[in-house]
Amino acid sequence: MPLEKIMIEGGLPLKGSVKISGSKNAALPLMAASVLVDGPVRLSNVPQLSDIRTMADLLRNLGALCEWVTDDSLVIDGSGLSGFEAPYDTVRKMRASIYVLGPLLARLGRARVSAPGGCAIGPRPIDLHLRGLEAIGTEIALEHGYIEASAGPGKLQGRELDLIGPNGASVGATCNVMMAALGAQGTTVIRGAAREPEVADLCNFINAMGGAVEGAGTDTLAIEGGRKLGGGKYSVIPDRIEAATFLVAGAITQGDVTAEGCRADMMQAVLDALSEIGFELEVSKDRVRLNCSGGPLKPVNIVTMPYPDFPTDVQAQLTALLTLVPGVSTVKETIYVDRFIHIAELLRLGADITLGRGEITINGVESLSGAPVMASDLRASAALVLAGLAAQGTTDVLRVYHIDRGYERIDNKLRSLGARIRRGPQDQ
Ligand code: UD1
């Protein structure tokens, strides 16, 4: 595929409503868990994203059926599952490929998954995934860059285990261990479970398919193993990160944007930050309107933390906004302390930011000026697009394949709000 760039003529206030897509981070584990269900599963509200296509290809390569039946619905049937490997080429494209580890163990008692390395946002260990799987009876070896996991018949045993890591709970490890535990004998109790809505969505999905998981949305989950899961339908929760990104797009352009079909209750920390800065919000259950009344804006101090606190996945976008908020703001990153690669690009647009260890200090400037910038990871790319929407002149965001991993047709959606944005080929 030829590389593409997004070209933005900044300076226009965005106005209107935008429909929020289904959550990528919820859909990925649901897709993997679908192979544990006896019979076809129909997932709706699935976003059309490259990460979703990568997971669909991976499941097909493992022998599952995985078909789009409408624009946003996938039917997955894992009855023909026979493969047990997630190869390096897939995992290097998408770390979340590791989500097949738990289901493969539960279904086939064996999995071979390329160990994910670091990525643009820093080191991303998987020790908690492995620790949790070992605790319920998996044997694990690391050979030639692959995790070789096995648990013969009757080996997976429900246990009480603790998954808390140095940076708090892990979304990925909680989901992976929960999926493996479905194939264990007896009940597994995960203490220190992640409370993110995407983890709760996996619990709700399993229960909707006939499973028994207690404690969705809390830090203790009890998963009953060995229950037969039957096919059915399930709708993925809306993407709280996409919704936050569009609200910030309204804020940074001094516009009036409504995120339709979102879940306001899953975005409280972001909504609190936006209103603390001085934006007016109209909040109902499934829509949020951000209207720039023109009142004074004030700086804020943000700390990223596990849910329900401020999400690391909105840190870059909020930083873009804070570059234009008068006064001195700070942003501390406690989940991925090196997740500041977008700062150097924001500086090229005229931002005034000082980078410390795990923390930045932002001195609000009056305006940004457009320039070519390079996307480095998913949320950093979104931040650069947001900055480009507010900057004077033209901003070209290169390597937009990063943004297509997690935002469904972001350029079309922004154009529908009045942005001057288009996509074109990038010179190599
Ligand atoms: C998920 C999200 C990602 C988000 C992150 C934190 C998906 C596909 N991705 O990633 O967008 O930024 O949650 O909300 O859903 N950790 C360990 N050992 C482990 C696993 C994690 O120390 O075995 C650490 C990580 O380095 C990080 C923290 O725990 O500091 C949280 O990571 P985790 O929740 O596991 O992130 P992911 O599931 O990879």
Side-chain angles (χ1 to χ4, degrees), residues 215-377:
T218 74
D219 62 3
T220 304
L221 299 177
I223 305 126
E224 203 182 301
R227 263 175 101 114
K228 197 169 155 73
L229 304 183
K233 293 181 184 170
Y234 193 81
S235 181
V236 179
I237 53 169
D239 195 317
R240 62 193 170 107
I241 311 299
E242 189 202 22
T245 304
F246 278 104
L247 292 177
V248 174
I252 201 170
T253 61
Q254 293 288 306
D256 180 354
V257 167
T258 301
E260 292 281 359
C262 59
R263 282 279 301 268
D265 58 323
M266 296 177 178
M267 308 167 54
Q268 200 51 54
V270 171
L271 301 183
D272 288 348
L274 289 170
S275 49
E276 193 185 341
I277 296 169
F279 296 102
E280 248 176 53
L281 297 172
E282 273 173 41
V283 181
S284 58
K285 191 168 168 273
D286 59 357
R287 77 199 270 281
V288 179
R289 176 178 178 190
L290 179 142
N291 188 5
C292 293
S293 54
L297 301 182
K298 67 179 185 62
V300 287
N301 303 309
I302 298 292
V303 182
T304 67
M305 300 272 272
Y307 189 83
D309 288 319
F310 195 91
T312 172
D313 284 352
V314 186
Q315 179 257 109
Q317 301 89 313
L318 196 86
T319 298
L321 172 62
L322 292 174
T323 64
L324 289 166
V325 171
V328 179
S329 294
T330 59
V331 176
K332 187 173 161 68
E333 176 61 71
T334 73
I335 311 290
Y336 298 112
V337 291
D338 297 321
R339 193 175 199 173
F340 288 117
I341 204 157
H342 46 286
I343 302 306
E345 301 299 293
L346 289 173
L347 294 179
R348 301 191 58 254
L349 298 175
D352 180 352
I353 305 174
T354 314
L355 179 57
R357 175 82 182 131
E359 187 162 14
I360 52 175
T361 305
I362 307 155
N363 228 321
V365 292
E366 261 182 27
S367 63
L368 298 175
S369 74
V373 286
M374 184 78 83
S376 55
D377 71 74

Side-chain angles (χ1 to χ4, degrees), residues 29-39 41 43 59 76-78 205:
L30 296 193
M31 290 171 71
S34 294
V35 305
L36 291 173
V37 175
D38 203 16
V41 174
L43 293 177
L59 297 180
I76 300 173
D77 185 344
F205 167 78

Side-chain angles (χ1 to χ4, degrees), residues 27-36 51-52 54-64 76 81 83-88 90-91 94-116 129 133 146-147 149 172 175-177 179-180 202:
L28 290 169
L30 296 193
M31 290 171 71
S34 294
V35 305
L36 291 173
D51 271 10
I52 297 290
T54 302
M55 180 60 88
D57 286 342
L58 174 56
L59 297 180
R60 285 188 202 110
N61 288 338
L62 293 171
I76 300 173
L81 197 81
F84 53 84
E85 179 171 319
Y88 175 69
T90 308
V91 180
M94 184 185 69
R95 294 179 53 84
S97 309
I98 198 165
Y99 275 140
V100 298
L101 186 51
L104 286 174
L105 277 168
R107 240 325 266 287
L108 306 175
R110 181 172 183 198
R112 185 167 192 267
V113 176
S114 174
H129 297 239
L133 295 174
Y146 276 78
I147 301 153
C175 291
N176 236 339
V177 175
M179 293 186 283
L202 178 61

